Each structure stands twice: as C-alpha cells, then as structure tokens.
Amino acid sequence: MCNEAQAFITVCCICCLILINLSETLTCIFLPVSLALCSAAVGVGFYGNSETNDGVYQLTYSLYNANHTLGGVDNLVTNTMGSMESGLKQHLARLDEIFATRGDYVQTLRFMQQMADNVIKQLLGLPDWDMAKVDLAAIADQTAYVEYYRWLTYLLLLILDLVICLAACLGLAKQSRWLLTT
C-alpha cells in the first residue's frame, strides 16, 4: 500500500517537474500524459487493494470453516470414546453373562472386546485436541478487524492521492497559456 502511494506521488512529481520545465507548447502534450499516468497509478493501486481485500475475506472464511471442522472432529472423537467405554463394554459384559455356558459365543465376545479395545487405543492415539486448541475464530476476527482498518487507510490514501493529482492539474492548468486560450 505504501509503495503504491510512493510510486503515485513520485510519478506525479516527475510529471509536474517535466511540465513546468518544458516550454508552453509541449505542456499541452504532457498534461494529458501526466493525467493518464496518475490515473493509471490510482487504478492499479485500487485494483490491487481490492484483490487483497478479497483474499483476506477468503482467508477469514476458511479460518471460520476450519474452526468449525476441528470442533466437530473433537466432538465426534470424544463422543465415540465415551460411547465405546461405557455403552459397548456394558453390553459385552451382559452378553458374556448370558452366553457363559456357550464356549464358542464367549470366544467371539472376547474377540469383539479385543477389537473394541484396539479402537479405543487408536482413538487415544489421536492428538490431544484440548492441549493443541487454537481458537481459529478469534484469529479470523482479528484478521477481519485489521483488514477493515487497512482498507479504510487505503481509501484515505487514495483520496489524498486524488487531491494531490487535482492540485497538480490545477497548478499546471494555471501556468499553461494554452489552456487559458481554449
């Protein structure tokens, strides 16, 4: 943003110096050229700022979605472990009591218990979400806050650039006899 403003001011100053130092007949040629260069610099800067604003908006949207996704994964893992540790073990224990006389059923129940224990071990192997918890929504809010003031600052600089351009054009127009005769 600052580089765009510096480039714009530099182009305006160079054009003004060239126009002031040249003869009055060449002023009529360089005045439209300087106006076109200044307008192009403002246009390019405004387009780049708009693209930056769109990119930051997409970033904040993605951060909100990532925060929602990570929260959903955490809830699913927690609920699955809780259900398996309490509900499934209770049901397997009850089935073990019912089928205690049948050896082949007891063997199948033991195998199911081992599989449930393996699933619980794998779920416990997942990263600890509570220790690595980062509130991405807060980061997205902070980014949107900073972007709002960046955008506002750029608009104020754009207005300043346009005022400088207008002052330069008025100064050139006042010194040009060619413009006074038309």
Side-chain angles (χ1 to χ4, degrees):
M1 182 170 59
C2 291
N3 290 338
E4 295 167 359
Q6 289 173 349
F8 174 76
I9 292 171
T10 304
V11 167
C12 286
C13 290
I14 290 173
C15 290
C16 290
L17 289 175
I18 289 172
L19 291 175
I20 290 171
N21 291 333
L22 291 176
S23 67
E24 291 295 322
T25 57
L26 292 177
T27 302
C28 65
I29 295 170
F30 286 106
L31 182 61
V33 171
S34 66
L35 288 176
L37 285 175
C38 291
S39 299
V42 169
V44 167
F46 192 73
Y47 173 75
N49 192 56
S50 177
E51 289 297 313
T52 302
N53 189 35
D54 291 343
V56 170
Y57 173 75
Q58 290 176 0
L59 172 71
T60 57
Y61 181 77
S62 297
L63 285 173
Y64 284 126
N65 282 341
N67 190 50
H68 179 71
T69 301
L70 291 175
V73 167
D74 187 30
N75 288 338
L76 287 174
V77 168
T78 303
N79 291 342
T80 302
M81 284 181 50
S83 296
M84 287 191 71
E85 287 178 342
S86 63
L88 184 62
K89 290 195 182 229
Q90 287 176 352
H91 292 298
L92 288 176
R94 178 70 179 130
L95 286 173
D96 193 28
E97 291 173 7
I98 294 172
F99 296 120
T101 59
R102 304 280 314 254
D104 53 342
Y105 290 150
V106 171
Q107 185 179 5
T108 305
L109 287 172
R110 301 265 187 263
F111 179 69
M112 287 178 57
Q113 181 67 38
Q114 287 176 351
M115 288 177 45
D117 289 339
N118 286 336
V119 169
I120 290 173
K121 285 179 186 176
Q122 288 180 358
L123 288 175
L124 288 174
L126 291 175
D128 188 7
W129 295 100
D130 291 331
M131 293 184 67
K133 189 173 264 186
V134 175
D135 189 13
L136 295 177
I139 294 172
D141 289 338
Q142 184 68 22
T143 303
Y145 175 79
V146 169
E147 173 60 17
Y148 172 76
Y149 285 105
R150 188 199 66 81
W151 176 256
L152 184 64
T153 303
Y154 178 78
L155 288 180
L156 292 175
L157 279 174
L158 178 67
I159 291 170
L160 177 68
D161 288 347
L162 292 175
V163 167
I164 291 170
C165 184
L166 179 65
C169 290
L170 289 176
L172 290 172
K174 189 175 180 181
Q175 290 185 358
S176 174
R177 291 188 189 119
W178 177 80
L179 287 175
L180 294 174
T181 59
T182 57

